[in-house]
Amino acid sequence: MGKKYVYVWNKNRVEGNSKMKDILGGKGANLAEMASLGLPVPPGFTISTEVCKYYWDNGRKFPEDLKSIVEEAMTELENVTGKKFGDNKNPLLVSVRSGAAVSMPGMMDTILNLGLNDESVEGLAKLTNNERFAWDSYRRFIQMFGDVALGIDHEKFEEALNEVKREKGVKQDLELDANDLKKVVELYKKLYKEEGKEFPQDPMKQLWIAIEAVFGSWNNPRAIKYRQINEMDKQGLLGTAVNVVAMVFGNMGEDSGTGVAFTRDPNTGEKKYYGEFLTNAQGEDVVAGIRTPKSLDELKSINPKTYNQLLELMDKLEKHFRDMQDIEFTVEKGQLYMLQTRNGKRTAAAAVKIAVDMVKEGLINKEEAVMRVKPADIEKLLHPLFDPEELKNAQYIGKGLPASPGAATGKIVFSADDAEKLAKDGEKVILARPETSPEDVGGMNVAEGILTSRGGMTSHAAVVARGMGKTAVVGAEDIVIDLKNKVIKSNGVELKEGDWISIDGNEGKVYAGKIKTVRPEGLAGDISELLEYADEVSVLGVRANADIPRDAKVAREFGAQGIGLCRTEHMFFGPERINKMRTMIVSKTEEQRKAALEELLPFQRSDFKGLFEEMEGFSVTIRLLDPPLHEFVPESDEQIKEVAEMIGISEDELRSTVKDLEEFNPMMGHRGVRLAITYPEIAEMQTKAIILAAIDMIKEGKRVQPEIMIPLVGNVKELTILKESIKQIADELIKENNVDLEYKIGTMIEVPRACVVADQIGAEADFFSFGTNDLTQLGLGFSRDDYGKFIGDYIEKGIYEKDPFQQIDREGVGRLIKLALDGGRSTNPKLKVGICGEHGGDPDSIEFAHLVGLDYVSCSPYRVPVARLAAAQAAVNYKRGKTVNY
């Protein structure tokens, strides 16, 4: 016996069930399941998705034995219904519907009323004593068959229908009688001839053309695009199934109808029945919007018995499938039929509420609840959005990368100083820059959002904005940000400083003018509860990247289990600090540098204590100074003059220092551990500040877990030199203050060489933290700030599936991480390892971190909830130790 291609369901037997979606598609699998449950389902059969794959793999041909198998299934369907396919007196009509394993609403094709022809339509009219119904069904079939199977433009059929309605002077299809519908059929047939097409009178020929049309629709442009957008091609789908189902009719009069119902409100998640119903109609009438459907509640007054039966079946289906159901149903002469059920699409807010409610109702467990919500849905619920009504009339001017979510509107400013000045006066501002630098942090902090024309998802603007919870659109290369003339130009629109602009960090879109923003409300309790479930399930810890107490406080409120990265360079740009830093930089001797740094020590001590207080009892990883010193010096003549006067040196001397600090490639230059090797006094000051702040906490009776991280280590000797200095300073301070303080010394792994010699480095380190931004940059040889110019082409051509700065490149950077992890733990089994680059907030990268056995991920405070959910989902999907699929 050959391969099984066709599965039947009817009152006598059912082949298939809801677990066979890969083979039967979602629609076919659930029809079989409902039939098994004894629900009123029209009988039919499913041609499997394997036939679709065969069809496309073999030059659009069917398996040799498929024809005879389908004919046998049709004979069985005739016997069950007591009707005959192609019979002129009692014709069996069928619907031919698509259905993939994953729901793709509206993407593929359906044909209803198949089996009618010029003779059987007359027989159907006599059989039902309803001439209008018969001709209504026939005109619908001719139109759908012509559109779906033969490619005749749908609008041409609509125009023919409207012509008859105009002649009669009516607006609704329902107002046409049988004679009118006969005219419509004649016009439709004329249209076929004009298009050079033939309407087949043979029902079996109709069936095979329709089956082929449905399989063909698997690769129509809209279906392909839908799969691309929803990343469905990774799921190994075989194709669409074809469901051939005995027709039941909602267009047989006022005691008939069709509708769609949800077991809960798909917008809010509220536990109430929700749906729409149309009398004397077929399914496409509800979808097409030609007639205004009635509320499901109105069915109760029209037909209470059917309404109550429907609610009973809805409850049964929800309990059986243990999820909110989206149900299609038809009522034929008062008899209810269930045509489809599937897990319903829902908003982010509804997804959270339904998941939590179903745990409380005992329908699902906590692990299942965690899997019911997409991490991206959580992110949507935590940031403001543009008012949908105002957005309809907004003036779109361009698009960049959606670097930090939310929606922000404000007046355009082109400098951080201007942003701070206007914000101080109570103005809302959007900071627009070609790119940002650490010097812009003050302006970024007060701005509603940030817009840049250059940079990628891990550029300074993107990283800092996410850390601050600020909306940001970066790398909008089609938008010209002219700092000299203080204007923005894009798509023929010119905006001046002070004009209103609005940016959408969820979509990367930019609009001219002011758009009202709204913040989602009322779901904090549900989100909080769902994330508590997630924490119970997770193996991977979630920390936050935070540099100031305010960010640390937000991180804790969002459930962070510590700080995985504190970037200390951001602490030096305050107005009372930056010139002390610059004095240190221009100093000629170690003594002068130490004197300047001693003035910065109290600030640093206070900074670190603030973080320790917010994160009491949790680890706080503080990275020693990382960027090159040139980032702290002034650039313009005006700034140089002002700074030279403040710190008491000549302009020429300051210019000379600035020139000496210039580097051809500062990202690979004198920075990180290299800076500490050359100027150890910087690391010494920061070590003192960290340890003294921790001692302050202990003396106040508070718990503290400081971790000192040395950046950019590539050679174990770099680590040992600094480690010795750090330990000496720390141990002396602990002894002097007579306290019991444990601290850790570790390194940031971001240089490929460090991954190769990780066994050596691991023997000296207490922890590794992968700085995946720079590890990706150095590993791929892509500049973080310039790759945006070509990465789109790389993704389009399939060189990379995703932006490697957003999602870990498992084949390359992932192997480096695994190499370093194995090497480090080979010499230090207790080595704690995490990720603190921007990948720490990306669900796919979090899954990777779980799979390879990292201890935690660290991300911006506003992505902590997303990371918590993603970590839990990775734990549910994969047990630790599973082989990683690079």
Side-chain angles (χ1 to χ4, degrees):
M1 187 176 175
K3 192 172 183 66
K4 188 167 181 61
Y5 291 130
V6 173
Y7 298 76
V8 306
W9 73 87
N10 56 54
K11 62 185 178 182
N12 299 324
R13 67 190 186 112
V14 176
E15 298 178 316
N17 56 57
S18 61
K19 294 177 182 177
M20 296 175 64
K21 288 186 172 65
D22 288 346
I23 301 297
L24 302 181
K27 192 179 279 105
N30 285 349
L31 280 166
E33 188 78 6
M34 287 195 291
S36 294
L37 293 170
L39 271 64
V41 178
F45 60 89
T46 300
I47 306 172
S48 80
T49 58
E50 291 178 312
V51 177
C52 185
K53 186 175 190 309
Y54 183 100
Y55 176 80
W56 285 103
D57 288 349
N58 292 275
R60 302 184 75 151
K61 292 180 181 177
F62 293 125
E64 286 184 13
D65 54 347
L66 183 67
K67 186 173 186 294
S68 62
I69 297 170
V70 169
E71 286 175 354
E72 287 175 15
M74 283 299 294
T75 299
E76 184 171 347
L77 189 55
E78 289 174 332
N79 293 334
V80 169
T81 59
K83 300 178 181 181
K84 187 82 172 171
F85 192 54
D87 187 70
N88 293 336
K89 294 180 180 178
N90 187 16
L92 168 64
L93 305 185
V94 296
S95 64
V96 180
R97 308 182 74 185
S98 59
V102 179
S103 178
M104 296 170 58
M107 294 303 108
M108 293 176 296
D109 292 325
T110 291
I111 298 174
L112 303 180
N113 308 308
L114 187 141
L116 280 173
N117 58 26
D118 290 349
E119 293 181 357
S120 62
V121 67
E122 299 284 3
L124 184 64
K126 289 177 184 176
L127 179 71
T128 58
N129 197 28
N130 189 337
E131 192 179 26
R132 188 199 180 280
F133 152 71
W135 285 94
D136 182 49
S137 298
Y138 195 27
R139 67 93 183 173
R140 289 172 185 270
F141 170 51
I142 295 173
Q143 178 172 347
M144 293 184 86
F145 189 86
D147 177 12
V148 171
L150 302 181
I152 302 173
D153 188 351
H154 173 79
E155 292 303 319
K156 292 181 178 180
F157 288 107
E158 287 299 308
E159 178 52 37
L161 178 63
N162 289 332
E163 184 180 325
V164 176
K165 286 196 281 190
R166 283 194 296 270
E167 282 180 10
K168 183 150 188 182
V170 299
K171 293 184 178 180
Q172 298 290 338
D173 299 0
L174 278 175
E175 297 173 277
L176 299 177
D177 61 24
N179 289 326
D180 299 324
L181 292 167
K182 288 177 184 179
K183 290 180 187 176
V184 173
V185 167
E186 289 307 312
L187 288 175
Y188 281 1
K189 287 180 178 178
K190 184 181 176 184
L191 177 58
Y192 269 73
K193 288 181 181 177
E194 290 171 356
E195 293 286 319
K197 308 288 185 181
E198 178 190 351
F199 174 71
Q201 292 288 325
D202 178 2
M204 193 56 78
K205 189 174 182 181
Q206 296 171 1
L207 178 63
W208 281 105
I209 292 172
I211 290 170
E212 188 159 8
V214 172
F215 281 137
S217 71
W218 175 250
N219 281 324
N220 69 32
R222 66 178 184 268
I224 292 171
K225 187 69 175 175
Y226 186 90
R227 292 198 296 274
Q228 288 173 345
I229 291 169
N230 292 280
E231 300 181 2
M232 290 168 64
D233 288 331
K234 293 180 181 178
Q235 299 177 38
L237 302 176
L238 298 174
T240 180
V242 174
N243 300 288
V244 179
V245 189
M247 280 295 301
V248 288
F249 302 97
N251 59 329
M252 292 188 80
E254 291 304 310
D255 58 353
S256 303
T258 188
V260 175
F262 293 83
T263 56
R264 300 185 190 225
D265 189 325
N267 297 309
T268 65
E270 187 181 350
K271 188 173 169 57
K272 69 175 185 179
Y273 304 113
Y274 179 96
E276 295 177 326
F277 177 76
L278 266 178
T279 54
N280 200 13
Q282 286 195 336
E284 72 265 26
D285 296 335
V286 178
V287 178
I290 297 167
R291 291 167 57 193
T292 303
K294 299 173 182 177
S295 163
L296 193 63
D297 293 336
E298 290 193 35
L299 178 60
K300 186 175 183 179
S301 58
I302 297 169
N303 191 331
K305 182 181 175 183
T306 300
Y307 175 79
N308 291 329
Q309 184 188 4
L310 176 63
L311 298 193
E312 184 182 326
L313 294 180
M314 287 169 70
D315 288 341
K316 185 172 184 176
L317 286 170
E318 181 174 276
K319 285 174 183 173
H320 181 77
F321 287 102
R322 299 183 309 117
D323 201 351
M324 179 189 82
Q325 293 301 290
D326 170 1
I327 294 161
E328 292 179 22
F329 65 94
T330 282
V331 180
E332 180 186 291
K333 307 294 286 182
Q335 171 67 46
L336 175 67
Y337 291 95
M338 308 298 277
L339 304 185
Q340 175 174 309
T341 190
R342 61 187 172 193
N343 294 339
K345 304 284 185 187
R346 63 207 74 182
T347 65
V352 173
K353 179 168 179 54
I354 290 169
V356 171
D357 284 352
M358 285 190 167
V359 170
K360 293 175 180 176
E361 293 163 23
L363 279 177
I364 60 175
N365 61 36
K366 292 178 180 179
E367 284 193 0
E368 289 171 306
V370 162
M371 299 305 293
R372 294 281 175 89
V373 180
K374 296 174 185 175
D377 286 345
I378 294 291
E379 194 158 15
K380 289 175 187 173
L381 294 171
L382 297 173
H383 291 273
L385 306 167
F386 285 129
D387 185 322
E389 288 304 312
E390 289 203 9
L391 204 56
K392 289 177 184 176
N393 301 313
Q395 185 179 12
Y396 171 78
I397 63 169
K399 188 174 184 182
L401 297 172
S404 187
T409 190
K411 292 183 177 179
I412 301 168
V413 293
F414 294 92
S415 76
D417 287 343
D418 289 340
E420 291 187 73
K421 287 173 189 172
L422 282 172
K424 202 171 184 180
D425 294 335
E427 297 278 13
K428 290 187 174 183
V429 298
I430 300 291
L431 177 61
R433 305 276 297 163
E435 59 196 347
T436 64
S437 72
E439 190 113 21
D440 296 318
V441 168
M444 295 171 76
N445 185 46
V446 299
E448 299 297 309
I450 297 99
L451 171 66
T452 72
S453 55
R454 293 199 291 268
M457 293 294 283
T458 57
S459 62
H460 178 269
V463 171
V464 174
R466 281 194 290 270
M468 292 178 169
K470 300 286 182 181
T471 296
V473 174
V474 304
E477 295 196 355
D478 293 336
I479 296 176
V480 177
I481 298 176
D482 183 345
L483 296 183
K484 183 178 178 182
N485 296 303
K486 295 190 173 183
V487 294
I488 287 176
K489 297 178 182 177
S490 182
N491 286 330
V493 177
E494 182 171 307
L495 302 174
K496 301 181 180 64
E497 186 170 47
D499 288 344
W500 284 87
I501 194 169
S502 299
I503 62 174
D504 184 340
N506 298 309
E507 302 284 341
K509 293 179 179 177
V510 182
Y511 303 89
K514 184 178 183 179
I515 305 175
K516 179 183 174 184
T517 60
V518 292
R519 186 174 283 274
E521 296 177 358
L523 279 172
D526 290 322
I527 292 174
S528 176
E529 199 153 354
L530 182 74
L531 293 176
E532 285 176 16
Y533 301 164
D535 292 343
E536 290 178 31
V537 171
S538 297
V539 178
L540 203 61
V542 177
R543 300 187 189 182
N545 300 340
D547 312 330
I548 56 175
R550 185 186 65 212
D551 288 349
K553 186 175 189 295
V554 170
R556 278 297 300 131
E557 289 171 353
F558 283 150
Q561 301 158 350
I563 291 177
L565 173 63
C566 165
R567 301 176 177 93
T568 57
E569 57 270 18
H570 294 159
M571 299 172 171
F572 294 111
F573 283 95
E576 74 282 19
R577 310 178 187 204
I578 186 62
N579 286 326
K580 292 179 173 58
M581 186 67 174
R582 288 166 172 165
T583 300
M584 185 277 293
I585 292 170
V586 301
S587 297
K588 301 299 182 186
T589 67
E590 183 180 335
E591 288 72 23
Q592 289 175 330
R593 283 195 295 275
K594 283 186 173 179
L597 287 165
E598 197 63 30
E599 290 189 49
L600 285 168
L601 176 61
F603 292 108
Q604 287 270 271
R605 182 175 181 173
S606 174
D607 291 332
F608 299 142
K609 188 182 178 190
L611 293 176
F612 291 147
E613 285 175 335
E614 293 295 342
M615 287 287 166
E616 184 184 357
F618 290 100
S619 297
V620 176
T621 306
I622 297 169
R623 182 177 71 184
L624 300 180
L625 193 66
D626 180 54
L629 295 178
H630 80 87
E631 290 198 5
F632 299 96
V633 296
E635 296 177 358
S636 67
D637 289 342
E638 187 179 332
Q639 286 178 326
I640 285 175
K641 179 180 180 182
E642 181 183 344
V643 170
E645 288 177 4
M646 280 188 184
I647 62 179
I649 61 171
S650 69
E651 291 180 42
D652 288 342
E653 189 176 354
L654 182 53
R655 280 199 179 87
S656 176
T657 300
V658 171
K659 186 167 181 58
D660 288 343
L661 291 173
E662 284 180 3
E663 294 181 333
F664 286 112
N665 192 345
M667 291 303 294
M668 298 174 70
H670 197 187
R671 52 173 287 216
V673 68
R674 302 156 199 164
L675 203 59
I677 294 292
T678 308
Y679 303 116
E681 52 273 15
I682 298 174
E684 289 168 5
M685 181 276 289
Q686 289 195 300
T687 299
K688 285 180 185 175
I690 292 167
I691 299 301
L692 287 171
I695 289 170
D696 291 341
M697 289 283 290
I698 291 171
K699 288 182 175 179
E700 293 174 12
K702 296 175 182 175
R703 295 171 298 148
V704 63
Q705 294 185 46
E707 297 180 349
I708 300 171
M709 184 158 69
I710 302 166
L712 223 67
V713 166
N715 188 309
V716 70
K717 292 177 184 176
E718 295 170 318
L719 175 60
T720 54
I721 290 170
L722 254 71
K723 179 182 175 182
E724 185 179 344
S725 170
I726 290 168
K727 278 186 64 64
Q728 184 180 340
I729 292 167
D731 292 346
E732 284 180 5
L733 288 172
I734 290 168
K735 187 177 180 181
E736 282 174 20
N737 286 274
N738 192 29
V739 294
D740 184 14
L741 171 62
E742 286 188 18
Y743 62 92
K744 287 183 170 66
I745 301 171
T747 181
M748 205 167 182
I749 303 289
E750 48 199 327
V751 176
R753 187 183 191 277
C755 298
V756 177
V757 298
D759 55 337
Q760 300 173 25
I761 297 173
E764 295 292 331
D766 295 321
F767 65 88
F768 284 174
S769 183
F770 288 101
T772 52
N773 300 346
D774 273 348
L775 186 58
T776 298
Q777 176 171 242
L778 296 171
L780 271 62
F782 287 1
S783 163
R784 284 164 57 181
D785 294 314
D786 300 314
Y787 82 102
K789 295 174 183 176
F790 59 83
I791 193 62
D793 295 327
Y794 267 54
I795 292 169
E796 185 181 332
K797 289 178 168 60
I799 299 171
Y800 290 102
E801 282 190 16
K802 286 282 187 179
D803 182 335
F805 285 97
Q806 294 182 49
Q807 190 175 98
I808 285 176
D809 161 38
R810 294 192 186 190
E811 287 185 343
V813 176
R815 286 181 184 272
L816 289 174
I817 290 172
K818 187 70 165 63
L819 180 68
L821 181 68
D822 292 345
R825 285 186 175 158
S826 71
T827 53
N828 181 359
K830 295 182 179 179
L831 188 74
K832 293 291 181 188
V833 186
I835 283 177
C836 63
E838 285 303 300
H839 297 90
D842 167 62
D844 185 84
S845 303
I846 290 167
E847 178 186 275
F848 171 82
H850 171 87
L851 285 169
V852 294
L854 301 192
D855 295 298
Y856 67 89
V857 295
S858 188
C859 57
S860 61
Y862 286 87
R863 297 196 83 185
V864 166
V866 176
R868 289 167 68 191
L869 184 61
Q873 292 184 348
V876 172
N877 280 327
Y878 304 102
K879 299 300 179 186
R880 278 294 175 96
K882 178 182 169 70
T883 301
V884 179
N885 179 21
Y886 288 107

